[in-house]
Amino acid sequence: MSASKRPLFDGPIVRRAARESFTKLAPKKMVRNPVMFVVLVGSVLTTLVLARDLALGHGGIGFTIQIALWLWFTVLFANFAEAMAEGRGKAQADSLRATRTQTMAKQLKDPKQKGAIVAASSAQLRVGDYVICTPGDVIPGDGEVYEGVASVDESAITGESAPVIRESGGDRSAVTGGTKVLSDYLIIRITANPGETFLDRMIALVEGASRQKTPNEIALTILLSGLTIIFVLAVATLQPFAVYSGGSVSIPVLISLLVCLIPTTIGGLLSAIGIAGMDRLIQQNVIAMSGRSVEAAGDVNTLLLDKTGTITLGNRQAAEFIPVAGVTVEQLADRAQYASLPDETPEGRSIVVLAKERFAIRGRTLEAGEAQFVPFSATTRMSGVDMGSLQVRKGAGDAVMRWVSEQDGSLAPDLAGIVERIAREGGTPLVVAESDNGVARALGVIYLKDVVKGGIRERFSRLRAMGIRTVMITGDNPLTAAAIAKEAGVDEFLAEATPEDKMALIKREQAGGRLVAMTGDGTNDAPALAQADVGVAMNSGTQAAKEAGNMIDLDSNPTKLIEVVEIGKQLLMTLGALTTFSIANDVAKYFAIIPAMFVVTFPALQALNVMRLHSPASAILASVIFNALIIIALIPLALRGVKYRPAPAAMVLRTNLAIYGLGGLLVPFVGIKLIDMALVLFRLV
Amino acid sequence: MTANGWFQIALFSAALLVITKPLGIYVLKVYDGSMRWLAPLERVLYRISGVDRDEEQHWTRYAASMLIFSGASMLLTYAVLRLQQLLPLNPQHMGAVPDRQAFETAASFTTNTNWQSYSGETTMSYFSQMTQLTFHNFASAATGVALAVALARGITRHSAGKLGNFWVDLVRGTLYLFLPLSIILALVFVQQGVIQNFTQYVTVHTVEGAKQLLAMGPVASQEAIKQIGTNGGGFFNANSAHPFENPTPWTNFWQMLAIFAIPAALTCMYGRMANNQKHGWALWAAMFVLFIGGASTAYWAEARGNPIHAARGVDVVASAVNPGGNMEGKEVRFGIANSALFATITTDASCGAVNAMHDSFTPLGGLVPLVNMQLGEVVFGGVGAGLYGMLIMVVLAVFIAGLMVGRTPEYLGKKIQAREVQMAMLFVLIFAGSILVTAAIAAVSPAGLKGLNNAGPHGLSEIIYAFTSTAANNGSAFAGLSGGTYFYNTILGLNMLVGRFAMIVPMIALAGFMAEKRTVPASAGTFPVTTPLFVALLISVILIVGALTFFPALALGPIVEHFLMQAGRLF
């Protein structure tokens, strides 16, 4: 997983978070978090007791002041954690908002008449309006290209500086408000009202304004609230038991015990963890429409991956030169390189490289004027060069063969066989032919092969270790698909896949109780994206696809689905780890506070003071301080997430239980002792 | 501590291990309906009561059936106890049981608690004992197992939504499980010298020349179900310490084994229902570790004895002629090891029978029974109640730690979500609340303090023990507390009802929710529930979430008493 782009503790974010720690004290906000609300009530009560003691001139004020102070800190630290998590999103939202400034749009009353332009504010545009954008114009709202092809700078949304092509029809017709047209012109039909655009939604999402608790957060909140009530009972009933025993415990001490016992660590960091999880996705340039989908990503059992662009590089590469009878392989390579020298496509470059590597045929430069490049076109379906009397062509088998036949050239009898074999094996045959002084002949075939992305096999085996199955989706025939599936190490493949097949596969997996994640960009992907539990739509895709998915990848990189799953898992792990840590902490706190509480009534209970804390006051204070500081100490972990390594559940559990379970038991023993020593050192008790 | 003592504990453990699987398979067959040898009788019962054997119930109906059955039978018992002077089989002419005591006793036996604030031999007619108390011994036990089976069905079935039929489960459990086992065990007891008669009480002249009235009665038959059904209500006040109830070391051994037999077997049954026998054994292992930990602590504490006794010249060293240790309140025929073991077993399981006075244990020895109950009676536990209590803890453990593997927590392929956590937490909360709140009231109210026979921390232990024992439906008493007052009869009776039925409702709701869920097939990403690590995790959750809640209260009771005893003070 890549590191976040911004440092964790960014100056302005920290300052804003510190301010917000106080504004978040409003009871209406606090009550959403029952654990911290109890701490707030405890802080208020302790402060009231302090006020009473001050008014009546009671002794022991110093202790009560410190307790009250640290209780307030506990609440503030928790608020700070949440504000920090939100802060990173807010900073991003601010920069997005800057692009949302109102722009003047050139509205067309009739899209057929390009000339009839009416000036209109972007705020006035409604669904169904048409606008025209020329180079330098900011697109005023989300829409669909009605007419034209243009390059568009989408860096405001994606952070990617390379411009993208947007054109009418097909899968690249969606444009986003706030992006800028760089060349040509676009006539755009507006598809979102102001305030409902993609940018608006994105701002709301990254800011966390519309954030709702995820299912696991809700369940966890119930658990934590239940524990809190139990501890309220345990502490409240302690007073009668103490009275029975001939003593009584002061309110601040009882509140201290309560606050130490209730799971404040996880209670204080819960929402920060959730927000940070979404934020990590945003760092990866993925926008999740809800926290629920991030969690679902962690639960995914089956990944549907499109072959092209995800498992294989988008482009095929030359793997072999196969000459026909009577032609040497060097000759073929030489001519193939000639034909590809001016060809800037990845396929073309791979041919040049292969000829160079295999046969040491150096790349030659063609003098301008001497050679003429014949570019690929959809009608000829071949490309090549003309050099004086020598013409070289490479292209689709039938097209090149027709070119040779048209010049009455000879076609070797084994040519058709080679072409057929390569196609059967899943490769793409490119036939190379030349016409030298009017004598045309086919030389052989270049074997273009799908290249499986480096490291993808290892990633799939890591996914398998986590119990996630991968299914490759491809339009290739089953034979080809099987070959690539084997090479890439996917668990299953769906060949000659139609959108209906894909849908059926998702439904079948879901019927077996599995959660399915997939990526898609085309309009025909939309139903499957909607059906899948996690549907990541490519930002380059159509509006329909983006509407259907519950996440959008701004980089349009389908491999990122794996990262999305990992972030989902990391989010859940962090929740679990800190819950375990928080609950395990209680053991030490009991041993610190209980003997201290009853030291007057039962000095014999000092035997339970295993940490040998200095005095009752120092023991209680040290526990409260530890309880507050641990929240601050764990903020980086909450924001960054626990260390994530793909491994089987049993192994992950063992590691995390050792760190957060056992650690949670032991750390407070050490921490409370150290704080106790510091308190004594600085004469605070 | 002696080698012989440890040998007896080991022998018991081995016997428990041996019976778990065969009995578990038998129980499985009883409840899946493949046990048919009493089919004609079963059919007649269904026809009379109008039960459709094949009709499955939604959790709400299952719970309602159980509540109606328990409520009605509790009312009947109350009526019989109030009117026993008018009813037959009353050779000693016992009068009506007082109102509050009748209420408490009815609640006590309906809830499988068998807390007794009366002496059986001076309060209950044979008719009351046989038709009411013994009836509840069977019915409450069969109800408990039925509920556990319902929860097991809910968790292990594949999106069925229904939990089985309460009436059918009740009939099958009684007919195939509790009746046959009780009959066999009763015969063993009779052979060993437990009495079984309907005669009038016998007056004898002791060797010292004093006159003594010996209570009689159909003891062996009630003794068997008392243990098999983890009921614990003694025929006599002295319970299993009484020579007519528990005459020999052998009857003692069988009684202890009978208490744990069905609770242990249920783990095996559950493992087989879940198609994951290793998970069943993992639960068994977690229970066993907690059991052996408790038994060892109690044995150690009792064998070590009381330093104050030793200081006064009492011989506390074990030898061939002296059991050593703290023999106060213990029977010489059982000695230290078997008294400590019995106390551990009876409080691990919510049985409550006693063969020694827990009140006379050393503070730490007495802490063990108290903590056992406060764990929620999940260490093998009551028949049925032990398994369903343990499964609630499993749900919590899986939820807390399950997130750490990076998935929504799944238990046996079913997701643990908000509703399930809510029900599990309610279960835990009601238990902790019912103990703490009632004990706190008693500790500071004049009515509560009036019942105390001991002052100081020991008195607090007595109060906490009483409310723990009733909320946990255990029924054993720490003695020393006079429970037969209006205050205690009322509040303890209510506490037993809350501790049983208020906890069952969320439990069975959880079963219903789980039953509706779809099962996710297991994969490498599935949370492991069969490993030693899982066992350790489960034990930690039981200790931290379950028992630590009571730590502050315990610190003022048995724990401080222990330290004070070390310093030479007694209460």
Side-chain angles (χ1 to χ4, degrees):
Chain A
M1 216 162 290
S2 72
S4 56
K5 287 169 188 167
R6 265 171 292 123
L8 209 50
F9 290 94
D10 198 27
I13 294 181
V14 172
R15 276 193 296 279
R16 169 146 68 171
R19 260 199 321 277
E20 280 180 9
S21 310
F22 289 90
T23 56
K24 280 175 185 285
L25 283 176
K28 221 173 83 189
K29 287 184 185 169
M30 291 293 300
V31 84
R32 284 190 59 195
N33 184 341
V35 180
M36 295 320 293
F37 186 73
V38 169
V39 184
L40 178 72
V41 172
S43 312
V44 172
L45 275 177
T46 311
T47 312
L48 289 177
V49 170
L50 177 67
R52 185 200 64 188
D53 288 356
L54 278 172
L56 300 177
H58 286 189
I61 297 289
F63 173 73
T64 313
I65 287 179
Q66 292 189 65
I67 292 285
L69 219 53
W70 282 104
L71 290 179
W72 281 110
F73 278 147
T74 311
V75 186
L76 289 173
F77 289 169
N79 286 349
F80 179 71
E82 191 182 86
M84 276 295 295
E86 286 171 350
R88 288 152 64 84
K90 277 191 178 139
Q92 190 142 359
D94 285 348
S95 66
L96 283 173
R97 214 175 259 125
T99 64
R100 204 180 51 173
T101 46
Q102 286 205 357
T103 46
M104 288 313 285
K106 300 168 188 160
Q107 193 179 351
L108 295 178
K109 286 295 168 204
D110 181 359
K112 302 269 190 308
Q113 296 179 337
K114 263 187 287 186
I117 293 172
V118 186
S121 154
S122 60
Q124 295 172 332
L125 293 173
R126 291 293 177 274
V127 174
D129 287 349
Y130 289 91
V131 292
I132 183 165
C133 294
T134 49
D137 285 354
V138 171
I139 297 175
D142 291 2
E144 212 168 349
V145 179
Y146 174 78
E147 188 190 316
V149 184
S151 56
V152 178
D153 173 11
E154 292 197 338
S155 59
I157 306 281
T158 63
E160 175 63 50
S161 55
V164 294
I165 300 294
R166 291 284 174 253
E167 61 191 348
S168 61
D171 287 350
R172 292 192 295 180
S173 62
V175 291
T176 312
T179 57
K180 195 188 262 181
V181 174
L182 294 180
S183 71
D184 306 282
Y185 76 96
L186 293 175
I187 295 178
I188 297 160
R189 199 181 77 90
I190 297 294
T191 54
N193 290 325
E196 298 162 11
T197 63
F198 181 65
L199 197 61
D200 292 310
R201 271 192 298 161
M202 201 165 128
I203 290 168
L205 283 167
V206 296
E207 211 170 26
S210 58
R211 202 183 93 86
Q212 287 180 328
K213 283 187 179 153
T214 64
N216 276 311
E217 273 179 63
I218 293 171
L220 201 51
T221 306
I222 291 170
L223 178 91
L224 300 178
S225 308
L227 286 175
T228 304
I229 299 172
I230 290 177
F231 286 123
V232 167
L233 286 175
V235 172
T237 54
L238 191 55
Q239 188 71 310
F241 294 142
V243 168
Y244 167 94
S245 308
S248 82
V249 186
S250 76
I251 302 267
V253 171
L254 278 178
I255 289 172
S256 300
L257 176 65
L258 175 64
V259 170
C260 285
L261 293 183
I262 62 175
T264 48
T265 313
I266 178 67
L269 295 173
L270 185 61
S271 57
I273 295 170
I275 297 165
M278 303 250 319
D279 190 54
R280 275 199 296 283
L281 268 186
I282 292 167
Q283 306 292 325
Q284 294 276 345
N285 263 348
V286 176
I287 306 287
M289 295 303 166
S290 69
R292 184 181 284 265
S293 57
V294 185
E295 253 185 32
D299 283 344
V300 158
N301 306 84
T302 309
L303 285 187
L304 302 193
L305 300 167
D306 281 323
K307 184 199 76 177
T308 309
T310 312
I311 295 170
T312 62
L313 295 171
N315 306 296
R316 296 165 177 230
Q317 297 201 343
E320 208 182 337
F321 297 110
I322 306 168
V324 293
V327 179
T328 67
V329 70
E330 285 81 4
Q331 278 175 316
L332 172 62
D334 182 67
R335 288 294 184 256
Q337 198 190 41
Y338 256 121
S340 309
L341 278 175
D343 182 357
E344 285 300 318
T345 65
E347 283 95 348
R349 261 176 275 154
S350 77
I351 294 170
V352 175
V353 170
L354 184 72
K356 191 166 83 184
E357 282 176 354
R358 287 276 173 86
F359 308 106
I361 303 170
R362 308 299 310 170
R364 293 147 291 192
T365 45
L366 299 171
E367 294 298 323
E370 179 199 348
Q372 199 189 350
F373 181 44
V374 182
F376 179 86
S377 83
T379 45
T380 60
R381 294 196 295 136
M382 55 187 181
S383 64
V385 285
D386 292 349
M387 274 181 298
S389 58
L390 178 66
Q391 296 172 307
V392 188
R393 293 289 183 274
K394 67 173 202 298
D398 51 343
V400 178
M401 286 183 217
R402 198 174 333 112
W403 181 75
V404 174
S405 311
E406 275 166 8
Q407 301 180 58
D408 300 324
S410 64
L411 288 171
D414 53 345
L415 180 65
I418 298 169
V419 168
E420 198 182 310
R421 180 174 63 80
I422 294 173
R424 207 174 49 235
E425 283 173 11
T428 306
L430 272 190
V431 177
V432 180
E434 63 168 15
S435 167
D436 201 355
N437 287 319
V439 184
R441 62 172 179 153
L443 299 171
V445 187
I446 307 168
Y447 190 156
L448 288 183
K449 223 177 177 177
D450 258 324
V451 179
V452 172
K453 282 187 177 177
I456 199 89
R457 201 186 164 83
E458 289 68 38
R459 297 192 78 166
F460 289 155
S461 74
R462 270 164 39 186
L463 287 172
R464 200 169 304 119
M466 291 188 290
I468 297 173
R469 264 164 18 97
T470 43
V471 181
M472 181 182 85
I473 310 285
T474 172
D476 292 343
N477 64 58
L479 227 67
T480 313
I484 296 166
K486 196 168 165 224
E487 194 183 340
V490 294
D491 296 298
E492 219 179 281
F493 64 88
L494 185 65
E496 287 167 356
T498 62
E500 292 75 39
D501 292 342
K502 215 163 161 178
M503 191 70 174
L505 177 69
I506 294 173
K507 285 189 171 158
R508 200 176 62 227
E509 290 288 314
Q510 286 174 334
R514 298 186 188 88
L515 266 63
V516 182
M518 66 168 284
T519 59
D521 54 2
T523 298
N524 57 10
D525 283 331
L529 278 172
Q531 177 73 31
D533 301 281
V534 178
V536 183
M538 299 294 106
N539 191 45
S540 59
T542 58
Q543 198 63 34
K546 288 202 247 181
E547 299 278 342
N550 46 17
M551 289 189 197
I552 294 176
D553 179 13
L554 300 175
D555 296 340
S556 305
N557 169 11
T559 319
K560 219 187 271 168
L561 188 55
I562 298 173
E563 265 101 24
V564 170
V565 168
E566 293 183 343
I567 289 171
K569 285 198 171 297
Q570 199 191 21
L571 169 69
L572 294 176
M573 281 181 194
T574 310
L575 283 176
L578 289 183
T579 305
T580 306
F581 184 86
S582 191
I583 292 173
N585 266 204
D586 277 4
V587 178
K589 294 170 185 167
Y590 274 116
F591 280 97
I593 299 186
I594 294 294
M597 274 180 145
F598 299 109
V599 71
V600 179
T601 325
F602 294 123
L605 276 180
Q606 273 307 303
L608 288 181
N609 182 5
V610 289
M611 285 171 267
R612 299 277 151 244
L613 302 175
H614 174 257
S615 67
S618 76
I620 293 167
L621 201 51
S623 308
V624 174
I625 294 175
F626 174 83
N627 196 54
L629 289 182
I630 196 75
I631 296 179
I632 285 283
L634 290 174
I635 287 178
L637 185 71
L639 295 189
R640 251 191 233 119
V642 302
K643 196 165 171 328
Y644 169 84
R645 222 181 304 109
M651 229 152 83
V652 175
L653 182 67
R654 197 181 317 133
T655 320
N656 284 344
L657 262 185
I659 300 174
Y660 301 100
L662 220 53
L665 277 178
L666 301 177
V667 165
F669 278 102
V670 180
I672 292 174
K673 177 71 189 170
L674 288 177
I675 296 171
D676 180 76
M677 287 159 67
L679 287 173
V680 174
L681 189 68
F682 295 112
R683 299 180 187 283
L684 287 167
V685 282
Chain B
M1 288 182 284
T2 61
N4 182 32
W6 286 115
F7 171 74
Q8 306 218 29
I9 294 173
L11 184 71
F12 172 81
S13 306
L16 183 68
L17 181 63
V18 169
I19 61 165
T20 297
K21 188 171 170 181
L23 193 56
I25 295 173
Y26 181 81
V27 179
L28 179 71
K29 286 184 176 161
V30 168
Y31 287 94
D32 72 12
S34 53
M35 198 60 72
R36 311 277 333 132
W37 53 280
L38 286 173
L41 181 56
E42 227 189 308
R43 266 197 298 279
V44 171
L45 285 172
Y46 294 146
R47 199 166 310 136
I48 294 170
S49 49
V51 171
D52 176 3
R53 202 180 58 197
D54 298 318
E55 188 205 22
E56 292 260 322
Q57 292 174 321
H58 187 254
W59 74 264
T60 44
R61 276 201 57 204
Y62 200 100
S65 305
M66 183 275 298
L67 288 173
I68 289 168
F69 172 75
S70 301
S73 59
M74 182 180 152
L75 282 178
L76 178 68
T77 299
Y78 176 79
V80 169
L81 295 185
R82 298 288 290 146
L83 302 171
Q84 69 172 356
Q85 74 279 15
L86 308 173
L87 295 165
L89 275 179
N90 191 357
Q92 293 300 120
H93 305 291
M94 307 282 189
V97 180
D99 164 53
R100 285 294 135 164
Q101 197 157 45
F103 156 74
E104 188 198 43
T105 306
S108 172
F109 280 76
T110 309
T111 57
N112 196 254
T113 310
N114 296 25
W115 171 271
Q116 293 162 297
S117 63
Y118 59 88
S119 296
E121 55 268 51
T122 57
T123 317
M124 294 293 163
S125 72
Y126 290 162
F127 184 84
S128 297
Q129 294 254 28
M130 289 180 66
T131 65
Q132 296 308 308
L133 306 189
T134 309
F135 162 77
H136 281 299
N137 280 352
F138 281 94
S140 67
T143 301
V145 180
L147 289 164
V149 171
L151 176 59
R153 287 188 189 125
I155 295 173
T156 58
R157 281 183 172 180
H158 297 280
S159 47
K162 303 272 174 88
L163 298 178
N165 185 311
F166 172 73
W167 305 106
V168 174
D169 289 338
L170 184 70
V171 167
R172 285 186 179 154
T174 311
L175 283 188
Y176 294 108
L177 191 58
F178 289 105
L179 272 174
L181 284 179
S182 300
I183 291 169
I184 296 168
L185 199 63
L187 292 174
V188 171
F189 286 156
V190 169
Q191 190 275 330
Q192 286 285 313
V194 179
I195 62 168
Q196 178 78 8
N197 60 46
F198 290 98
T199 58
Q200 279 200 325
Y201 293 0
V202 177
T203 309
V204 292
H205 298 273
T206 66
V207 276
E208 290 104 352
K211 252 173 125 182
Q212 191 181 355
L213 187 66
L214 292 186
M216 292 285 130
V219 178
S221 57
Q222 213 196 31
E223 200 62 19
I225 186 64
K226 167 182 122 183
Q227 310 293 27
I228 285 280
T230 63
N231 291 288
F235 196 92
F236 302 118
N237 191 31
N239 210 306
S240 283
H242 195 295
F244 287 173
E245 283 201 19
N246 187 9
T248 68
W250 274 114
T251 54
N252 194 59
F253 180 82
W254 288 113
Q255 293 202 358
M256 293 192 297
L257 198 59
I259 296 173
F260 266 6
I262 291 175
L266 285 176
T267 61
C268 169
M269 174 206 76
Y270 179 65
R272 284 173 179 258
M273 283 174 79
N275 216 352
N276 188 344
Q277 292 189 40
K278 276 170 94 179
H279 178 53
W281 285 112
L283 296 183
W284 192 94
M287 292 172 168
F288 185 79
V289 169
L290 286 167
F291 153 68
I292 208 74
S296 309
T297 309
Y299 182 36
W300 168 79
E302 292 310 298
R304 202 157 150 259
N306 186 331
I308 300 168
H309 290 174
R312 301 254 167 103
V314 179
D315 183 8
V316 295
V317 180
S319 68
V321 291
N322 182 8
N326 173 32
M327 276 301 287
E328 182 191 317
K330 295 188 181 62
E331 293 292 302
V332 177
R333 66 183 183 283
F334 304 133
I336 301 280
N338 272 319
S339 297
L341 186 60
F342 198 108
T344 308
I345 291 168
T346 196
T347 49
D348 272 340
S350 71
C351 179
V354 292
N355 78 349
M357 296 304 114
H358 297 176
D359 190 35
S360 300
F361 276 30
T362 60
L364 287 187
L367 177 70
V368 170
L370 195 48
V371 169
N372 281 342
M373 293 186 287
Q374 289 172 342
L375 292 178
E377 297 289 28
V378 296
V379 185
F380 296 103
V383 282
L387 181 67
Y388 66 66
M390 184 53 118
L391 291 180
I392 297 280
M393 296 317 287
V394 170
V395 164
L396 287 178
V398 167
F399 180 75
I400 292 170
L403 284 168
M404 274 198 296
V405 305
R407 295 174 73 95
T408 296
E410 275 161 26
Y411 176 47
L412 296 178
K414 293 189 171 179
K415 287 196 159 57
I416 309 285
Q417 287 159 311
R419 290 198 303 177
E420 290 76 47
V421 173
Q422 197 171 12
M423 292 304 134
M425 280 317 287
L426 259 181
F427 187 92
V428 176
L429 183 60
I430 291 169
F431 181 67
S434 66
I435 294 175
L436 289 170
V437 173
T438 50
I441 293 171
V444 287
S445 63
L449 294 172
K450 218 173 73 186
L452 278 186
N453 293 340
N454 298 75
H458 198 74
L460 187 63
S461 299
E462 286 168 358
I463 290 175
I464 295 173
Y465 197 103
F467 290 100
T468 304
S469 174
T470 46
N473 296 145
N474 181 280
S476 71
F478 211 42
L481 180 80
S482 306
T485 66
Y486 185 90
F487 172 82
Y488 276 110
N489 282 160
T490 310
I491 199 166
L492 290 173
L494 289 172
N495 209 29
M496 289 185 267
L497 293 174
V498 169
R500 177 86 166 178
F501 299 111
M503 286 168 73
I504 283 176
V505 173
M507 182 281 293
I508 206 78
L510 187 144
F513 298 158
M514 291 295 274
E516 288 162 10
K517 283 177 189 280
R518 195 178 274 173
T519 310
V520 186
S523 73
T526 307
F527 186 87
V529 289
T530 56
T531 57
L533 186 70
F534 169 74
V535 174
L537 170 73
L538 181 57
I539 292 171
S540 311
V541 168
I542 291 169
L543 290 176
I544 295 179
V545 176
L548 266 190
T549 317
F550 301 101
F551 185 74
L554 292 176
L556 293 178
I559 295 175
V560 74
E561 191 189 349
H562 166 76
F563 291 121
L564 290 173
M565 181 184 80
Q566 299 296 321
R569 274 188 72 190
L570 281 183
F571 295 90

